[in-house]
Amino acid sequence: MRIVMKFGGTSVAGAEKIRHAAGLALKAVAEGHQVVVVVSAMDGVTEDLLDLADAAGSGNRAALYTVLGKVRSAHEAAARALGAMDEVDPLLGRLETLVSGILAVGELTARSRDAVVAFGERLSTAMMGVAMGCRAMDGHGAGIVTDDHFGEADPLMEISMHQVRQNLEPIISGGRPVVVSGFIAANQHGVTTTLGRGGSDYTATILGAAIRADEIWIWSDVDGLMSADPRAVPEARLLTAINFAEAVEMGKFGAKSMHPRALEPAAAHRINVRMRSTFNPDNPGTLISDATAAGDAAHAVRSVPMLKKMAMVTVGGAGMIGRPGTAAAVFTALAEARVNAHMICQSVSEAGISVVVSMGQLDKARAALERALVKVTSGPHANVVSSLKVQENLAIIAAVGQGMKGVPGVAARVFVAVAEAGVNINAIAQGSSELSIAFAVDEAAGSKAVAAVHRAFGLGG
Ligand code: ADP
Ligand code: ASP
Ligand code: MG
């Protein structure tokens, strides 16, 4: 079999764990499989590097050296134990030079932030390469090319697939494994980009699709994809088999902190995905495939994922009533600003349209909508929108299941459960595919609402 294996941050957090993960990959190689390994940064390192970039950009020298020291000592300790100092030390040196440069210039851009965070995956990849005794390269080296949207770059799929095939095929058909860093790529000029948070999962499926892998294995610290985040709902149950449509929908709503598009390349090429636990490798985990039947009316809701750190922007005004085109203008403005709307709702009175975006994109969303719609005094949208309201610290919760299609009363059961838990709902949306019902609540009440819906549909163990 040809397998792409991705190890998440918790699976490579320290020398012992890197050795263990390398052992799992090498076992598959010994069994005769062709293996491509994708690695994330060590647990917590991406957060540290984001802090490091911010400290450099804001001229906070003390914070910069504190965080740099932390990143350095974590990697040096692991590298020393693995005998990977020759690989790791130069990378740490380059990182220090880079952040010193940002500090000197006093300006952090999306581009330079990507240059900094990319070091997390570069470092872990180098160590995994040593632990496995094989070649290691970054995502760009493997052939992934993206557009210029630093921080959340979109792969140029045709060319990436072609290049990845060209670069990796000779190695793996020779029976040799190779390690590729997740999350990182480059634009067409070779400037480093990143695919967005959770992007290593996306790297794994892009590589899998390119080399026509038989399976993609996502190794993590949980047994697999569960009916809810086990941190929010302790009785959440492992989903042993699930079909692509449901899994893709779960991914969009934050299940397993996956990149929202991570499962798309696998679904498009019908490559089975297995989610497994590095720390419990005997458990077969979750199989995501086309073969699994969709849920039925009795299992209308199969999982309740949650996206945190969300904000809702509502544009309103009596002028919107009965006037076509405002919704289109909202979406155009957001699309042009490259803001991803996770949820969209319109009030029945037509006097308001709300979009839920990540907190990280809130400033961009607000600015785009203000420019396009608010206080506009000429053109088709003049004097239509009079107010723009923002609510921060929300969570989007979704009840996901293909079995809800055509089944009446599912939404009612969801909302009764949330109401009985005493949680106020800020906004509601249902996708036209009837795969999910989504709603927004205050983040502080998020887990409580997830647990209530989970219980109402009998999903607990
Ligand atoms: P990795 O570093 O392996 O990518 P992440 O931290 O990104 O791991 O994702 C794994 C975590 O996602 C789990 O520890 C779990 O708490 C959380 N999680 C959220 N939703 C789910 C879900 N539906 N099923 C499994 N885990 C989930
Ligand atoms: N290290 C990156 C992140 O934390 C990518 C990943 O882990 O998938 O988002
Ligand atoms: Mg992850």
Side-chain angles (χ1 to χ4, degrees):
M1 259 201 319
R2 184 169 272 195
I3 309 169
V4 175
M5 292 191 184
K6 176 254 174 179
F7 292 98
T10 42
S11 303
V12 294
E16 268 318 297
K17 291 182 176 165
I18 292 175
R19 267 202 209 103
H20 174 67
L24 290 170
L26 290 172
K27 178 163 167 270
V29 175
E31 286 164 357
H33 300 299
Q34 297 182 349
V35 176
V36 173
V37 170
V38 174
V39 280
S40 290
M42 298 198 330
D43 196 32
V45 167
T46 301
E47 298 292 336
D48 288 342
L49 291 173
L50 287 168
D51 291 345
L52 181 62
D54 284 337
S58 61
N60 191 340
R61 184 179 292 270
L64 183 150
Y65 282 101
T66 309
V67 184
L68 189 61
K70 183 177 167 205
V71 169
R72 186 177 270 285
S73 60
H75 287 92
E76 279 178 351
R80 215 171 283 121
L82 292 165
M85 270 311 228
D86 287 350
E87 286 75 10
V88 162
D89 233 13
L91 286 171
L92 289 169
R94 273 170 59 196
L95 173 63
E96 178 158 3
T97 307
L98 174 64
V99 292
S100 308
I102 295 170
L103 182 74
V105 178
E107 186 193 13
L108 179 70
T109 61
R111 172 177 163 154
S112 53
R113 182 183 286 113
D114 268 1
V116 174
V117 297
F119 275 90
E121 268 72 8
R122 279 209 184 99
L123 287 157
S124 60
T125 299
M127 293 191 287
M128 182 62 97
V130 170
M132 285 184 62
C134 70
R135 261 184 81 179
M137 54 180 75
D138 71 13
H140 180 232
I144 302 179
V145 185
T146 68
D147 64 14
D148 270 334
H149 290 104
F150 297 101
E152 273 178 62
D154 276 324
L156 307 177
M157 282 297 181
E158 294 279 310
I159 177 168
S160 297
M161 296 270 171
H162 175 75
Q163 295 191 152
V164 168
R165 214 170 300 136
Q166 254 182 352
N167 293 334
L168 298 190
E169 194 65 57
I171 308 177
I172 50 177
S173 10
R176 281 160 295 160
V178 56
V179 183
V180 180
S181 65
F183 186 53
I184 331 176
N187 69 9
Q188 286 169 292
H189 307 291
V191 179
T192 299
T193 56
T194 61
L195 305 180
R197 296 309 304 273
S200 298
D201 302 304
Y202 200 17
T203 303
T205 58
I206 293 168
L207 298 185
I211 61 165
R212 306 279 186 263
D214 297 293
E215 293 197 352
I216 297 163
W217 295 1
I218 310 277
W219 294 96
S220 186
D221 63 344
V222 268
D223 280 338
L225 206 51
M226 307 187 71
S227 54
D229 187 341
R231 287 172 298 195
V233 182
E235 62 273 19
R237 220 172 3 187
L238 178 69
L239 302 166
T240 51
I242 189 160
N243 66 33
F244 271 117
E246 285 175 324
V248 167
E249 191 78 356
M250 286 177 71
K252 280 188 207 152
F253 287 107
K256 228 198 123 264
S257 327
M258 254 183 293
H259 187 287
R261 311 189 61 177
L263 291 171
E264 286 178 9
H269 292 82
R270 297 164 171 253
I271 301 171
N272 290 356
V273 176
R274 284 181 203 279
M275 302 220 165
R276 310 185 56 179
S277 166
T278 323
F279 309 117
N280 187 12
D282 293 333
N283 189 319
T286 301
L287 173 64
I288 304 169
S289 73
D290 265 345
T292 313
D296 48 24
H299 303 92
V301 171
R302 288 242 268 228
S303 66
V304 193
M306 169 163 66
L307 273 171
K308 293 191 197 170
K309 296 190 189 156
M310 294 285 136
M312 182 158 74
V313 187
T314 303
V315 294
M320 285 167 66
I321 300 172
R323 189 178 195 127
T326 314
V330 167
F331 305 137
T332 306
L334 294 176
E336 279 170 2
R338 294 265 316 172
V339 172
N340 178 18
H342 291 276
M343 207 174 117
I344 297 155
C345 358
Q346 179 162 29
S347 69
V348 181
S349 71
E350 294 184 41
I353 295 173
S354 303
V355 289
V356 184
V357 303
S358 71
M359 294 275 282
Q361 291 200 314
L362 175 60
D363 287 344
K364 254 196 331 193
R366 185 180 1 213
L369 292 174
E370 273 174 356
R371 256 194 325 271
L373 284 161
V374 187
K375 299 183 203 115
V376 177
T377 50
S378 63
H381 305 300
N383 308 315
V384 174
V385 170
S386 53
S387 70
L388 187 150
K389 211 175 78 189
V390 173
Q391 272 172 284
E392 298 186 41
N393 301 314
L394 300 179
I396 297 178
I397 296 169
V400 179
Q402 236 175 355
M404 69 174 65
K405 216 177 200 132
V407 179
V410 177
R413 280 170 71 190
V414 170
F415 299 129
V416 165
V418 178
E420 282 177 352
V423 178
N424 177 49
I425 295 178
N426 292 287
I428 294 171
Q430 176 161 30
S432 50
S433 60
E434 283 194 72
L435 258 173
S436 64
I437 296 163
F439 56 96
V441 302
D442 281 343
E443 189 172 308
S447 296
K448 202 165 150 193
V450 171
V453 176
H454 196 262
R455 208 174 314 115
F457 286 88
L459 300 181

